Amino acid sequence: MKFWKGAEMVLIAVGANLPLGGQAALETCRKVVETLRALPGLHVVAVSHWYESAPVPPSGQPPYVNGVVRATTTLTPDALLAALQQIELDFGRERSVRNAARTLDLDIIAFGGLCQDVSHLILPHPRAHERAFVLLPLRDVMPEWVHPATGQMLEALLERVCGQEIRQIQE
């Protein structure tokens, strides 16, 4: 595994809408957080509330459970991506068509202030600012977040997604 020159703040979106071995998507998401806590080179700082949201784009799939993990990491962006993709596989993720239902989806939303556009990893995540299911949980863990590419504050981004179907799961 390759390591970064120093610890960087990272935001990781966690989502699922299919059961895994009889386990509900919410339970899968909670277990993934524990897996992230054990990942070498990653230190979980905060975990958002969990939210239920309609699939984007609308597709007739079951609703998603979504949250965001705020962490620090000494991993490089590519090493973190590889680790997250392995966790997805370990949790039964099958890659078929884009936006297909899934047992687990892990996305790097932001890696410090890094802006990059390479084929395998665009940072910050290219659609995060358009999705309430990312922005609402992100506000739970980092309300002062500013989009690294646009300079827009989180509250301004949230105003643009206020009509999207989402609710906080009461635990």
Side-chain angles (χ1 to χ4, degrees), residues 18-25 27-28 31 90-94 102-104:
L18 292 178
L20 176 63
Q23 168 180 282
E27 190 57 32
T28 298
K31 286 185 177 181
D90 293 345
F91 277 78
R93 170 79 185 259
E94 294 179 15
R102 57 202 73 166
T103 56
L104 180 62

Side-chain angles (χ1 to χ4, degrees), residues 1-25:
M1 221 174 257
K2 294 187 178 184
F3 291 91
W4 195 251
K5 54 190 169 272
E8 280 289 339
M9 180 278 308
V10 64
L11 298 167
I12 302 167
V14 178
N17 74 332
L18 292 178
L20 176 63
Q23 168 180 282

